[in-house]
Amino acid sequence: MILEFKDKLTKILIDRGLLKPEDLDKAIAIHREKGGSLSDVIIELGFVTRSDLMIALSHGLGIPPINLSRYKIDPTVIKLISRKIAKNYKILPISKIGDTLMLAVADPLNIILLDDIKALTGLKVSPVIATEKDISEAQGQYYDESASTTIEKIVGDLEEASEIKLLEEDSGALGQTSSELLRITQDAPVVKITNLLLAEAVSLRSSDILIEPLEKEMRVRYRVDGVLREGRRSPVALHNAVVSRLKVMSNLDIAERRLPQDGRFKVKLQGREVDFRISVVPSSMGEKVALRILDKSQAMLDIEKLGFDERSLAEIKKAALKPHGMILICGPTGCGKTTTLYSVMQHVNSPEKNIVTVEDPVEYQIEGINQVTARPEIGLTFAAALRSILRQDPNIIMIGEIRDFETVDIAIKAALTGHLVLSTIHTTTATGSIIRLVNMGVEPFLITSSVILVGAQRLVRRVCQACKEPYELSADVAARLNLKGKLTFYKAKGCSKCFNSGYKGRVAILEVMPLSPKIKSLILENAQEYRIREEARREGMATLRENGIKNALDGNTTLEEVLRVTAGDQDVDTV
């Protein structure tokens, strides 16, 4: 039977032109001498690559391939096969449906392996093909000791460590020298704890990690889909060691605990590179750390896929094609403003356009776009960078944030002199951005001459598509929201795919206000915000809440989530 399978392997490779008969004879001779897997011998000799072999076997044997990096495996399935067996056989359990176990294998021709797993688990085995490299990386993710070791066990190993006791006794002064602190941060248990916290955050798809010292504990919280979720609590004795380790990773001063520090570092987690931006601030109980996670694999820079309604998307695309003017996106911190501007730049990016950005800091590197990091500590402010950028003959300029009059003054002048300027501003509504510019000292006639569109944005959690449940909105609630007719919404239930939260990912909602002639007239009259808003509504602007409710009706989010995010939006006109 084994010979029949090996004959099939060689026939597949020869028929597909991947292996010559003389190469096969050489591989068979070495295989007889060394033993092991014939496919491994063929690969080691360089006759066929692993990826080509996987594709050939998939077609020849009718066994589907799998990309393990895109697959989330239930921990209960992983436990069906021990780490030792998985490593020895180069396999990984993927899923269990009924009495059938889906198994990723590097060598699907090894039927002895499949029989052994069937006998071991008592389940039928359905193999899928993956490269040995992918299986090894996935095993590192799911079986790795640093990922499976609990903080509690590590703490137990550290309880008698004198250096941890010294850190615990330290009242905030520079209790240890830099060399002592550096030695502590290189200890394996501290490294394991820190890596575990970072890996857990990436697994949860967190955007931020907060590490906070309490009186007797170190509290860790993760921001998942915009909502903070409490993680593990550990003895406060670990806090200074973990913070010092993060400082070392970020090239910060580990002995400085009295002043705020900012930095960044990059690590490879779960087979992909992830950037972390770190902010350390001293507090009464010790140093508080905030980590912003910039996972490029999770970044959505396609404007078509951000979830905008058709009208808003059309208006933004139209404005982005203008040769000059200013586009402003407003909203609170963490609402996706910068991602939207990146998506706009990607939409218009071409070799014919010179696009330059000034950011603090640069979050995502985009090919073909020149990105400048503002560094106020050395005098490279947004305004200073903008002055230099304007000498670079740009077509499109993106400013990370308009914070002061000097920056907005240069930005408006750039928009008036033939440049398309994209930027963000901290206000809550589209009309509020106009009033904010006036309060910053910008003359109304300059606003009407330069600004072409203002958008207000929020992010709502996307309801898990695997476990959402439909329900009909009651008449009472519909009446309070000025909604008419029988409407079907969806509620979040919770399952293993969404970590029992009922939500997975986020979707953007937007209210877009193009500056029409009538709106410009109101601005020149110094009209109050409500009058500008009324005119924008008459011209078809849908509010944040209205667009959110449309998303909820489409099954993208829940009504509760929309109401939570738009709680400050009092305009609840009929949808």
Side-chain angles (χ1 to χ4, degrees), residues 167-400:
L167 287 169
E168 187 175 19
E169 292 165 2
D170 182 21
S171 60
L174 303 182
Q176 286 79 30
T177 64
S178 295
S179 60
E180 287 174 332
L181 285 169
L182 185 60
R183 177 177 56 80
I184 292 169
T185 63
Q186 293 171 343
D187 284 347
V190 173
V191 172
K192 282 184 178 181
I193 291 171
T194 308
N195 291 347
L196 178 60
L197 294 176
L198 299 180
E200 187 169 30
V202 172
S203 296
L204 290 170
R205 309 184 314 277
S206 306
S207 60
D208 301 89
I209 312 172
L210 301 182
I211 302 174
E212 304 158 311
L214 304 180
E215 186 176 357
K216 295 182 179 179
E217 294 178 306
M218 176 181 77
R219 179 172 70 172
V220 178
R221 292 186 289 172
Y222 304 107
R223 190 176 296 280
V224 181
D225 296 334
V227 177
L228 280 175
R229 175 188 300 180
E230 187 156 339
R232 306 168 189 266
R233 289 199 178 202
S234 306
V236 73
L238 287 173
H239 177 261
N240 283 346
V242 171
V243 172
S244 296
R245 172 62 185 168
L246 290 169
K247 285 182 178 180
V248 168
M249 295 170 72
S250 311
N251 291 320
L252 301 180
D253 185 355
I254 59 175
E256 178 57 75
R257 304 183 197 171
R258 300 162 299 182
L259 296 174
Q261 296 188 71
D262 297 301
R264 66 190 306 162
F265 62 91
K266 182 186 294 184
V267 297
K268 189 169 185 179
L269 288 170
Q270 300 176 9
R272 60 182 187 268
E273 287 188 351
V274 182
D275 286 338
F276 289 85
R277 210 165 68 203
I278 182 172
S279 171
V280 184
V281 177
S283 70
S284 60
M285 301 299 296
E287 291 179 294
K288 176 183 176 181
V289 177
L291 292 159
R292 169 62 58 88
I293 302 172
L294 304 172
D295 188 350
K296 297 177 183 179
S297 68
Q298 300 291 326
M300 180 64 71
L301 301 182
D302 186 346
I303 196 170
E304 300 279 356
K305 297 179 181 178
L306 292 181
F308 296 148
D309 62 285
E310 291 183 7
R311 180 185 178 276
S312 298
L313 182 60
E315 291 287 359
I316 289 180
K317 284 183 173 181
K318 180 180 176 182
L321 294 176
K322 295 285 182 70
H324 56 83
M326 182 184 292
I327 297 174
L328 290 174
I329 303 294
C330 70
T333 301
C335 71
K337 302 185 295 295
T338 304
T339 299
T340 296
L341 293 184
Y342 277 142
S343 302
V344 171
M345 287 190 295
Q346 279 282 64
H347 179 65
V348 298
N349 188 17
S350 68
E352 294 79 26
K353 292 183 179 178
N354 180 12
I355 303 177
V356 186
T357 77
V358 52
E359 307 166 60
D360 184 18
V362 173
E363 293 194 7
Y364 298 108
Q365 296 284 348
I366 303 178
E367 187 176 354
I369 294 177
N370 307 285
Q371 297 169 272
V372 178
T373 300
R375 298 181 64 188
E377 68 276 9
I378 61 172
L380 186 60
T381 61
F382 279 115
L386 275 172
R387 291 191 188 96
S388 298
I389 286 171
L390 289 172
R391 302 189 193 105
Q392 297 281 321
D393 190 30
N395 300 104
I396 300 172
I397 302 170
M398 190 197 97
I399 307 167

Side-chain angles (χ1 to χ4, degrees), residues 98-118:
D99 63 348
T100 301
L101 175 67
M102 183 184 291
L103 190 71
V105 296
D107 185 4
L109 297 173
N110 190 342
I111 58 171
I112 295 177
L113 177 157
L114 301 180
D115 288 341
D116 287 349
I117 299 301
K118 182 179 178 181

Side-chain angles (χ1 to χ4, degrees), residues 518-534:
K518 288 185 178 180
I519 290 176
K520 288 181 178 180
S521 297
L522 289 171
I523 294 171
L524 291 172
E525 295 171 12
N526 285 315
Q528 293 184 335
E529 181 181 347
Y530 79 91
R531 289 185 58 198
I532 300 174
R533 189 174 184 82
E534 286 176 352

